[in-house]
Amino acid sequence: MIPAAIVPPLLAWYETEQRDLPWRHTRDPYRIWVSEIMLQQTRVEAVRGYYARFMEALPDVRALADAEEQTCLKLWEGLGYYSRVRNLHRAAKVICTEYGGVLPGVYAELLRLPGIGDYTAGAVASIAFGERVPAVDGNVLRVVTRLTEDFRPITDPSVKADLREQTAAIVPEGHAGTFNQAMMEIGATVCVPNGAPHCGGCPLAHLCTAFHRGTASALPVKSTKKPRRIEPRTVFLLSCEGRTALRKRPTKGLLAGLWELPSTDGALSPAQAREQLAAWGLNAGQLLSLRPAKHIFTHIEWHMTGYYAECTAPAKGFTWAAPGQLRDEYALPSAFRPFLEVLG
Ligand code: SF4
């Protein structure tokens, strides 16, 4: 079991050592919710700028609910995992229609909203509303498995549920939000992943079994992941009268419904690329090869071949975006960024 004795030194450490992060200056449930969603799978430093821009454009639940989906996607452009912002948008609408525009202040109610899982519900309920519930993310799982030298795989849902229960048992009354943030913070800055944790500076070292037995770097245990599938693709940067061709991706699957540079499966040779352009009804002058690029998604890797072509007329079936629109209006996933850089 996780020793409850970790609570006082953890809270004392957090009070003096926590990083100064914009979302820690507020108890506004909306701001805390948005920050927690942005921070999923994303580094704190990457989130700072996005958070500031998002809050400036959409300062409250109602503003988010009333915004166009395209505006939300543009604010999220480059942050990845776009279902997060789509769910934020959907949840804001539900909050406006069912909760009068105010986030429900109870863990169980938060859990019913789109895109809010166990971790986010726990974080928002405890930090914004003081509810005594845990918020167990990857950082916290790492800390608790090391504290208790637990070699069970954290990828197993029943192990995760047990660790959550153990954490729930030591959440202190009246300090739930601070405790949860402190656990995440120590996991992010001291009990770090990928290599040796900084046990020398850890306020919990005297209570940590893995530290005493020298096994911290071997924890947590994760069951081996399947290797990512490699998908070769060909991406076209097509220009016509100063505009660039865009297309909407299918509504299901990877990057569903987002704008893209026209692309096809496979690594096409220049001759095959010309055939593809003809099949799209495009007449192009010179076809230039672009530097190949790679993009890594969670389960898939795109290995991309790129071509630039100047088209003689803007064929139907594409949206031809002017440079300003490309910059301000259309949100393109960062997978296409290496090719867009050609445009400057
Ligand atoms: Fe993690 Fe080391 Fe602290 Fe244990 S002593 S919680 S392994 S940083």
Side-chain angles (χ1 to χ4, degrees):
M1 298 304 276
I2 307 165
I6 67 162
V7 175
L10 178 71
L11 296 187
W13 170 84
Y14 183 66
E15 199 173 316
T16 56
E17 303 299 324
Q18 63 176 288
R19 289 167 295 174
D20 183 17
L21 302 174
W23 43 89
R24 290 196 175 146
H25 294 286
T26 180
R27 294 289 296 269
D28 178 348
Y30 171 70
R31 289 176 176 252
I32 290 165
W33 170 40
V34 172
S35 71
E36 288 298 343
I37 299 290
M38 280 188 173
L39 286 163
Q40 289 167 13
Q41 328 262 2
T42 313
R43 287 175 308 107
V44 161
E45 287 317 314
V47 165
R48 279 181 192 268
Y50 282 95
Y51 176 79
R53 278 192 296 278
F54 200 92
M55 284 307 149
E56 201 184 326
L58 307 171
D60 51 41
V61 180
R62 212 162 273 284
L64 174 57
D66 291 344
E68 295 291 329
E69 186 182 74
Q70 198 51 40
T71 306
C72 304
L73 288 169
K74 188 70 194 168
L75 289 164
W76 210 266
E77 185 181 24
L79 206 47
Y81 302 98
Y82 292 86
S83 59
R84 292 184 296 171
V85 67
R86 288 205 165 104
N87 280 329
L88 264 177
H89 192 214
R90 282 171 52 213
K93 288 181 189 290
V94 175
I95 294 165
C96 286
T97 51
E98 292 183 24
Y99 298 95
V102 181
L103 247 92
V106 184
Y107 168 82
E109 291 284 310
L110 287 163
L111 212 45
R112 295 177 52 217
L113 294 169
I116 297 199
D118 174 65
Y119 163 76
T120 310
V124 176
S126 63
I127 299 168
F129 300 105
E131 187 174 345
R132 192 177 164 265
V133 284
V136 178
D137 68 350
N139 283 323
V140 176
L141 287 172
R142 183 167 58 256
V143 176
V144 299
T145 52
R146 287 174 173 173
L147 280 169
T148 56
E149 204 194 33
D150 191 331
F151 282 104
R152 292 176 300 165
I154 57 165
T155 35
D156 178 338
S158 66
V159 171
K160 222 166 166 175
D162 177 53
L163 293 171
R164 185 186 180 279
E165 219 169 280
Q166 288 190 42
T167 309
I170 62 163
V171 176
E173 190 67 60
H175 301 283
T178 312
F179 170 81
N180 286 334
Q181 290 181 89
M183 285 294 274
M184 292 179 233
E185 185 77 350
I186 206 163
T189 62
V190 179
C191 197
V192 292
N194 308 326
H198 311 314
C199 302
C202 179
L204 312 180
H206 61 298
L207 298 163
C208 179
T209 310
F211 169 62
H212 288 299
R213 298 205 181 138
T215 54
S217 318
L219 288 161
V221 172
K222 298 177 184 173
S223 52
T224 41
K225 276 193 199 163
K226 274 202 289 180
R228 286 193 205 95
R229 194 172 73 240
I230 308 249
E231 284 188 0
R233 288 196 74 72
T234 300
V235 175
F236 291 87
L237 184 60
L238 304 173
S239 183
C240 184
E241 297 162 3
R243 291 173 178 261
T244 303
L246 301 181
R247 224 172 41 164
K248 270 228 165 151
R249 290 187 55 78
T251 51
K252 292 236 156 38
L254 191 66
L255 304 176
L258 296 176
W259 290 99
E260 68 164 359
L261 294 176
S263 64
T264 58
D265 290 338
L268 303 190
S269 66
Q272 289 169 321
R274 279 202 173 277
E275 280 170 25
Q276 180 61 68
L277 291 179
W280 282 335
L282 286 163
N283 242 327
Q286 213 186 354
L287 189 68
L288 298 175
S289 288
L290 300 175
R291 193 197 299 248
K294 197 193 299 190
H295 192 81
I296 297 174
F297 299 96
T298 313
H299 305 297
I300 295 172
E301 266 182 53
W302 273 2
H303 289 196
M304 295 175 283
T305 301
Y307 291 102
Y308 172 84
E310 189 76 37
C311 302
T312 50
K316 289 206 183 96
F318 299 96
T319 294
W320 295 88
Q325 289 176 303
L326 208 51
R327 192 181 54 239
D328 304 326
E329 220 173 286
Y330 296 102
L332 265 82
S334 47
F336 300 101
R337 202 174 279 166
F339 301 111
L340 285 168
E341 276 169 7
V342 173
L343 299 174

